[in-house]
Amino acid sequence: MLQLPHQPVQVAAVPAQRAPVREDQAGPWHSEAVCRRDEAGLFFAPSKEPTAARLSREDAAKRVCARCPVMTECQEHALMQPEPYGVWGGLTAAERRVALARRRRREMELKAAAAPADRVAAAG
């Protein structure tokens, strides 16, 4: 950890989660999340957090996510909402913005590739 011993780790209040119900279970997916147990403060930045502390905290949060049984559901939730803050499904807010931009670009490329085929089918 990059934080100095005389600087205690600051824990932010965790915003309420908006979570959809999993289709394959009776309860919401987040009820199985590892972060629900006792480490939720790792996932959201306190105000004015120094960069080194933020990187260390995010790394610790990602390690928690790596062992979570609902990491994929959490990540998809964060991408679909989209969640603007915190580590969700092993991705930081910045990483989610990149993933969303890539997803949108890929969707546009697929639509562009399908457009000539649609025109040929309509003309034929």
Side-chain angles (χ1 to χ4, degrees):
M1 195 172 222
L2 297 174
Q3 196 148 5
L4 298 174
H6 66 280
Q7 294 176 329
V9 174
Q10 295 177 326
V11 178
V14 179
Q17 294 183 5
R18 300 177 308 271
V21 174
R22 285 176 63 180
E23 294 175 13
D24 62 338
Q25 293 187 351
W29 62 265
H30 62 83
S31 65
E32 298 176 45
V34 174
C35 64
R36 299 279 296 192
R37 294 186 181 95
D38 61 355
E39 299 161 334
L42 285 175
F43 296 86
F44 297 92
S47 62
K48 300 180 183 178
E49 182 178 35
T51 301
R54 177 182 54 81
L55 294 173
S56 178
R57 180 188 48 74
E58 288 174 346
D59 187 52
K62 288 178 179 186
R63 286 193 304 273
V64 172
C65 291
R67 68 177 198 268
C68 184
V70 293
M71 184 177 89
T72 303
E73 291 91 336
C74 180
Q75 188 176 100
E76 193 58 29
H77 163 81
L79 291 170
M80 296 305 292
Q81 283 300 321
E83 291 292 348
Y85 305 107
V87 175
W88 290 76
L91 297 176
T92 64
E95 291 166 337
R96 288 193 303 277
R97 285 190 295 274
V98 169
L100 283 170
R102 286 181 182 156
R103 184 180 282 186
R104 282 191 295 270
R105 186 173 39 241
R106 191 175 17 204
E107 288 171 358
M108 288 174 49
E109 289 169 356
L110 289 172
K111 285 180 186 178
D118 291 342
R119 284 187 223 131
V120 170

